[in-house]
Amino acid sequence: MIASNEHFVAGVDFGTDSVRVVILDAADGKVAGSRVAYYPRWKKGLYCNPKENQFRQHPLDYTESLVEAVTGAIHEADTARSGTDKGSISSKISAISVDTTGSTPVLADRFGTPLSLLPAFAEDPDAMFILWKDHTSVQEADEINRVSRSWGGTDFTKYVGGVYSSEWFWAKLLHTIRKNPKIAQAAYTAMEHCDWITAVMTGTTNPDAIKRSRCAAGHKIMWHAEWGGYPPREFFDKLDPKLSDIRDSLGTDTWTTDVPAGTLTPEWAQKLGLSESVIVCVGAYDAHIGAVGGGAAPGTLVKSIGTSTCDVIIGPKPATGQQEHLIAGICGQVDGSVVPGWIGYEAGQSAYGDYYAWFRDLLMWPIQDLVATDPDAKHLDIENIEKAILPALEEAASHIEPTESSVLALDWVNGRRTPFANQNLTAAISGINLGTDAPAMMRALFEATAFGARSIIECFEDSGIEIQKVVAIGGVARKSNLGMQILSDVTNRDIHVTAGDQSCAIGAAVFAATAAGLYPDIFTAQKALSAGIERIHKPDSTHVAIYDKLYEKFCRLEQFIEGETK
């Protein structure tokens, strides 16, 4: 039995816009302190070009924001404790665990230094982290898929759903080294964000010393025990010999997130205000860690719903001597990527909250243009108007009843992740007439993302993965009551929304507590530390039947648009 107020752990969640840190009491999961720090360069839109689907992040955004968030969380915890317990909470923090977006790789030199930290490439976007939603490598992903099926050996996409995506590691590297010969020449290795940030904190950035994430390697980098690590050089030589060299720098081993990557270096202990004895766990992806924080268990699908979605469920490993059952169309199935000893299955949608944000920005354009060009409009408060638009649209949309003739939209505004990744696809909206207003369009987008979610559930269950419970975590799940109710109606399932908005950071803390030896396994730590369920959305039977018919139309529209794309 762990005594309260004696052992603390820190969870660090690197999201798309910011890093979130929570410090939990390891006895019961009570949040002692938390802080969100926003990436300053990303906030300015630096190194990105949305019209070309280019989204890059500077490594200094990560390190600077990490220091701000950790020290801020410690300060908040110390302030709250000052009246009852003297001394900083920092001396009682045993371990820290980190999750990041993914696949978010960077090219680095022989010492594991991202090329953008070298003077020669300080302002080159190709030398920076290539964010998960960067889709500049669609052609390269297509090429990887063609080679995988034709090179004469194993199809190395078989454990990633049969399709390699432009959102993933090798496609991004191949695009970058072909586009930028100077970067290609300078690069020795490549690292996922979740591997680099833990390596920095533990002083193990040398490629030979990095403990690379099983989660990242298995889902995005084609690692599998069946072929002893990564695909052979002969495979990568058919794409580009430089990829073969990078492949050799990765080693063959990967580690699950309950394993310590090391302890804090003296430099990082000082920066964060922590002890050098603090354990740093092997890194992983946010949705997989968040699934643990949200209650991942056999039969439970955890949907991490934010700018996009990542849907995660775990299942048992095959019995000795039996072949692993392959699930076509998903984003990978990996032993230990979520919970050690279990197969982690991943799927997702390339846009969810991003779809709503796109519509908001569309509506905001005339207001922003007026303020920029019309002196009489200078008084308009753009920031507050922007914040108010989506809540106002959701409120108005909640009063609209669905009908079989409702506006119908596809959720492919940023391509399709699952089923069967295809980033060439684009969204479509049908059924618009002169009576269609903004709230009706907003409801159509809620319905589109819910229809996309239903197709993922069907993809899993058609392949034999039974889903008994659906849990929703993340910002959209927490904020949008209408969005979650429509999701419940469309899928005809209860949607359990977690309490608190830090499931990813809490999941990271679960791994930290396990790595520190405070709990014997992940499930025991999860039970003690997770926030639980705040509300449950139950399907409205009068809407379920209507949405069944609209879903049939949605599937027909998908088939038409995909056929036109081909």
Side-chain angles (χ1 to χ4, degrees):
M1 187 75 176
I2 299 173
S4 61
N5 202 35
E6 286 298 321
H7 299 281
F8 293 84
V9 289
V12 180
D13 171 32
F14 283 94
T16 299
D17 303 315
S18 60
V19 59
R20 295 166 284 277
V21 172
V22 295
I23 298 172
L24 301 185
D25 190 322
D28 55 13
K30 181 179 179 181
V31 176
S34 66
R35 181 62 61 91
V36 177
Y38 291 89
Y39 310 140
R41 297 163 189 80
W42 172 263
K43 194 171 184 179
K44 295 177 182 177
L46 300 180
Y47 316 118
C48 299
N49 187 343
K51 290 184 178 179
E52 294 183 2
N53 285 315
Q54 175 183 300
F55 297 96
R56 309 294 165 87
Q57 292 184 327
H58 199 288
L60 291 179
D61 266 0
Y62 300 148
T63 53
E64 292 170 0
S65 298
L66 175 62
V67 172
E68 179 185 344
V70 171
T71 56
I74 291 172
H75 176 73
E76 180 178 286
D78 287 344
T79 300
R81 286 157 45 93
S82 60
T84 58
D85 192 335
K86 294 181 180 180
S88 176
I89 202 171
S90 61
S91 63
K92 295 185 177 184
I93 294 176
S94 304
I96 186 169
S97 183
V98 173
D99 69 71
T100 70
T101 64
S103 176
T104 301
V106 70
L107 288 160
D109 68 10
R110 178 65 182 82
F111 305 101
T113 302
L115 297 183
S116 48
L117 293 181
L118 304 178
F121 303 108
E123 297 298 320
D124 189 336
D126 292 333
M128 297 176 189
F129 281 89
I130 307 172
L131 191 63
W132 62 270
K133 69 177 183 177
D134 185 296
H135 289 167
T136 54
S137 57
V138 171
Q139 293 181 358
E140 289 76 13
D142 290 343
E143 185 177 347
I144 290 171
N145 286 310
R146 288 196 301 270
V147 171
S148 293
R149 299 182 185 109
S150 65
W151 80 290
T154 300
D155 182 352
F156 294 111
T157 69
K158 71 178 186 176
Y159 289 107
V160 292
V163 180
Y164 199 80
S165 171
S166 65
E167 293 183 344
W168 300 349
F169 189 90
W170 294 115
K172 290 175 174 177
L173 299 192
L174 183 58
H175 175 79
T176 303
I177 63 177
R178 284 178 172 173
K179 172 193 171 190
N180 197 323
K182 291 183 179 179
I183 290 290
Q185 184 177 10
Y188 172 83
T189 191
M191 296 175 290
E192 282 286 338
H193 179 193
C194 66
D195 291 332
W196 176 74
I197 195 69
T198 56
V200 166
M201 288 192 288
T202 58
T204 55
T205 53
N206 187 306
D208 298 331
I210 295 174
K211 286 186 176 177
R212 296 185 185 258
S213 164
R214 171 76 57 83
C215 176
H219 284 286
K220 314 300 183 190
I221 318 182
M222 291 180 163
W223 181 94
H224 200 276
E226 180 180 314
W227 41 82
Y230 302 95
R233 287 188 64 96
E234 293 80 4
F235 170 77
F236 287 113
D237 282 345
K238 293 184 178 298
L239 296 163
D240 193 297
K242 186 66 179 181
L243 290 189
S244 298
D245 294 339
I246 292 172
R247 175 258 185 209
D248 289 347
S249 74
L250 303 181
T252 57
D253 295 328
T254 60
W255 286 265
T256 54
T257 311
D258 58 321
V259 174
T263 55
L264 289 174
T265 65
E267 177 188 3
W268 272 93
Q270 183 179 22
K271 284 182 177 181
L272 300 178
L274 298 173
S275 166
E276 294 175 32
S277 64
V278 170
I279 293 169
V280 180
C281 297
V282 169
Y285 288 152
D286 48 7
H288 303 73
I289 293 287
V292 172
T300 298
L301 179 70
V302 182
K303 295 180 62 63
S304 179
I305 307 178
T307 52
S308 66
T309 77
C310 191
D311 299 6
V312 172
I313 190 169
I314 65 173
K317 295 166 63 173
T320 304
Q322 292 186 351
Q323 281 291 109
E324 186 176 331
H325 178 57
L326 298 177
I327 310 299
I330 64 172
C331 302
Q333 50 193 85
V334 181
D335 178 11
S337 66
V338 182
V339 177
W342 295 78
I343 302 293
Y345 300 90
E346 176 197 344
Q349 292 164 267
S350 292
Y352 211 96
D354 265 354
Y355 208 175
Y356 316 149
W358 164 80
F359 188 46
R360 176 201 64 204
D361 294 344
L362 195 71
L363 298 177
M364 280 295 298
W365 183 87
I367 299 172
Q368 292 170 331
D369 186 65
L370 273 174
V371 170
T373 60
D374 187 346
D376 293 333
K378 296 294 183 183
H379 66 282
L380 294 175
D381 188 342
I382 289 182
E383 185 174 345
N384 282 331
I385 293 173
E386 185 176 62
K387 289 179 180 178
I389 281 182
L390 287 181
L393 284 171
E394 177 168 341
E395 166 61 22
S398 69
H399 299 291
I400 300 173
E401 287 293 313
T403 69
E404 292 181 40
S405 59
S406 293
V407 176
L408 188 65
L410 300 186
D411 64 320
W412 296 342
V413 73
N414 197 24
R416 183 179 65 206
R417 184 176 295 163
T418 310
F420 298 98
N422 186 345
Q423 305 310 149
N424 290 305
L425 295 173
T426 55
I429 303 174
S430 68
I432 299 172
N433 57 40
L434 289 176
T436 303
D437 57 15
M441 287 287 290
M442 188 71 224
R443 188 174 184 101
L445 300 192
F446 278 131
E447 292 166 348
T449 48
F451 289 141
R454 176 170 169 172
S455 69
I456 290 173
I457 290 174
E458 292 180 352
C459 178
F460 275 126
E461 294 204 318
D462 288 347
S463 296
I465 303 294
E466 183 182 2
I467 297 173
Q468 302 166 348
K469 180 179 180 180
V470 179
V471 174
I473 67 174
V476 172
R478 295 271 301 137
K479 295 174 184 177
S480 178
N481 281 287
L482 177 60
M484 294 305 97
Q485 184 58 50
I486 290 174
L487 180 61
S488 176
D489 295 343
V490 166
T491 60
N492 195 20
R493 294 171 182 265
D494 291 354
I495 304 299
H496 299 74
V497 179
T498 54
D501 56 1
Q502 300 285 7
S503 289
C504 291
I506 289 171
V510 168
F511 282 97
T514 307
L518 300 174
Y519 290 97
D521 55 59
I522 295 300
F523 288 127
T524 306
Q526 177 193 57
K527 183 177 180 180
L529 303 182
S530 63
I533 300 300
E534 180 181 79
R535 66 182 196 269
I536 301 175
H537 293 266
K538 293 184 173 295
D540 182 333
S541 58
T542 61
H543 291 171
V544 169
I546 294 171
Y547 280 132
D548 281 344
K549 294 178 180 179
L550 281 174
Y551 182 65
E552 291 178 5
K553 291 184 177 182
F554 175 86
C555 292
R556 291 197 296 271
L557 182 59
E558 280 188 321
Q559 292 167 3
F560 173 76
I561 295 298
E562 189 160 12
E564 289 295 299
T565 302
K566 293 176 182 178

